[in-house]
Amino acid sequence: METIIAQHNIRLSFIQRNIAIFLAILMLLGNLLLVVTIFSLKQTTVIVPANLKSEISLDQERVSKSYIEEMTVFFFSYLLDVTSSSADYKAEIILRHVSSDFFQAMNEYLLSESKKYQEFNLTTSFTPSALEIDEDSLIVTATGLLNSYFGKNGYKQELVHYQISYEYKNGRLFIKDFKLISTQEGAN
């Protein structure tokens, strides 16, 4: 009798072991399927911080038009809304967002601009009126009024066209080029 009970317990142990192995293999396959699914999905991150005016999205290859627009307005505020006392600080901030290929040229440009701001006690303010955004090439042409104040006596207003181009790398937008395209003095 004890032999029959022992054999029955052994069979029951084998069945329980086989069920446990089957469930472990099933869970392992489920985890592998989840890993493959997660890595094969194309993810888009949607960001809406408090200081942005619209929703923006990023993925591995592209950024939304609204993101390019918001970053352009941000960069122009640091490049063109400058005083003699803020020039060096704003240059430091901008250089954190410059492509490594353009870093030397941008650094030289910002240093020369900083000297102009100091020498003439210059203050500038840029008010964009239009942004033309090319999402594919990441180039933005901005049109707007640039107001320049020279100390307490001089003032100049110009209609200007600037172009800024970007490269998108590692989930960040870096300035690749920045230049004045044209200017028209005395614009109102």
Side-chain angles (χ1 to χ4, degrees):
M1 181 79 165
E2 287 181 19
T3 315
I4 296 174
I5 293 174
Q7 286 177 345
H8 178 56
N9 286 342
I10 290 174
R11 268 192 235 119
L12 193 59
S13 295
F14 281 136
I15 291 172
Q16 289 174 346
R17 181 202 65 186
N18 290 343
I19 290 173
I21 289 173
F22 175 75
L23 290 175
I25 291 172
L26 192 63
M27 286 188 287
L28 178 66
L29 291 174
N31 285 338
L32 288 174
L33 181 64
L34 283 172
V35 167
V36 169
T37 303
I38 287 172
F39 283 115
S40 65
L41 287 178
K42 184 176 179 182
Q43 295 181 359
T44 299
T45 305
V46 177
I47 305 170
V48 187
N51 60 340
L52 294 178
K53 294 175 180 64
S54 61
E55 183 178 281
I56 61 173
S57 64
L58 315 162
D59 62 32
Q60 283 91 3
E61 296 104 29
R62 297 185 57 85
V63 294
S64 67
K65 186 175 181 177
S66 59
Y67 179 68
I68 297 169
E69 178 183 4
E70 293 287 342
M71 291 307 292
T72 299
V73 170
F74 169 76
F75 289 139
F76 275 134
S77 73
Y78 276 84
L79 288 164
L80 300 172
D81 292 344
V82 182
T83 66
S84 57
S85 61
S86 70
D88 293 333
Y89 170 74
K90 288 192 172 191
E92 184 182 312
I93 298 294
I94 282 295
L95 288 173
R96 295 179 196 165
H97 301 280
V98 172
S99 165
S100 57
D101 297 336
F102 185 56
F103 186 87
Q104 185 64 33
M106 182 59 117
N107 190 35
E108 290 171 9
Y109 168 77
L110 292 172
L111 283 173
S112 70
E113 289 296 301
S114 179
K115 286 179 186 174
K116 284 184 208 174
Y117 280 90
Q118 303 301 325
E119 183 180 340
F120 299 111
N121 194 21
L122 181 62
T123 298
T124 58
S125 170
F126 178 70
T127 307
S129 58
L131 294 177
E132 293 177 33
I133 301 170
D134 183 347
E135 287 180 81
D136 296 325
S137 61
L138 298 177
I139 296 175
V140 179
T141 303
T143 302
L145 291 177
L146 181 65
N147 296 299
S148 301
Y149 303 90
F150 303 92
K152 295 182 181 182
N153 301 325
Y155 171 75
K156 180 169 77 171
Q157 185 176 61
E158 303 171 294
L159 178 65
V160 293
H161 303 278
Y162 279 95
Q163 186 177 73
I164 189 166
S165 60
Y166 301 104
E167 73 176 339
Y168 184 61
K169 185 170 38 172
N170 300 325
R172 287 187 57 200
L173 211 53
F174 292 95
I175 299 171
K176 191 166 69 171
D177 192 21
F178 173 73
K179 60 188 170 193
L180 175 65
I181 297 174
S182 68
T183 182
Q184 182 182 6
E185 282 194 43
N188 289 324

